[in-house]
Amino acid sequence: MSDEDVAVRLREICLSLPEAVEKPFGGHTAPSYRVGDRLFAMTSEDGRSLTFKAGPGVQDALVASDPERFFVPPYVGRNGWVGARLDADQDWDEIAGLVEDSYRLIAPKRLVRLLDEGPAAQPRPHSGG
């Protein structure tokens, strides 16, 4: 999968979540994904890794099970965030699930409920017709 394909796939996963937006983090230019003003996923400047929040024990389990794909990222790793190598062979269903879990840890409860209720409950864009 090309770097561009990886970026597109990741964007689709992140922006499919209720009220998620893409907005760079600090002075960086790499895509970062937020709900409100809170980050739930960010990519490295070179686009070769993704960092996401995880619940207790998840970081240790992922890194121990597959250190070729997952790692403890600098700075935020001590707070339970996990790094995923996007230049490695990834299971994109697993990545989507991990990103959704990160979103659930960050998002307001009303948005998590909206996500739990499924696509029929999510607001649809107004077509203005």
Side-chain angles (χ1 to χ4, degrees):
M1 185 178 285
S2 76
D3 290 350
E4 186 176 320
D5 291 340
V6 166
V8 167
R9 189 129 191 217
L10 187 57
R11 183 172 288 118
E12 287 172 355
I13 291 167
C14 292
L15 296 181
S16 72
L17 300 166
E19 296 185 23
V21 296
E22 181 177 343
K23 183 178 175 186
F25 172 67
H28 301 278
T29 59
S32 292
Y33 299 93
R34 302 169 183 263
V35 57
D37 282 334
R38 300 190 63 199
L39 288 165
F40 67 90
M42 55 190 152
T43 58
S44 60
E45 284 296 310
D46 64 7
R48 296 193 176 173
S49 66
L50 165 69
T51 305
F52 55 90
K53 188 161 181 68
V58 173
Q59 180 194 74
D60 291 339
L62 289 172
V63 173
S65 71
D66 199 342
E68 296 297 314
R69 292 178 34 216
F70 299 104
F71 64 96
V72 177
Y75 310 111
V76 294
R78 69 177 184 269
N79 297 321
W81 288 66
V82 180
R85 291 181 178 85
L86 297 176
D87 55 354
D89 239 358
Q90 285 291 353
D91 174 341
W92 283 96
D93 290 336
E94 180 181 30
I95 293 294
L98 292 167
V99 167
E100 182 179 312
D101 290 347
S102 179
Y103 174 91
R104 287 173 179 279
L105 291 168
I106 299 296
K109 288 182 171 87
R110 71 176 176 83
L111 295 178
V112 172
R113 277 194 305 273
L114 194 62
L115 186 61
D116 289 340
E117 292 167 2
Q122 294 182 24
R124 300 189 190 280
H126 182 27
S127 61

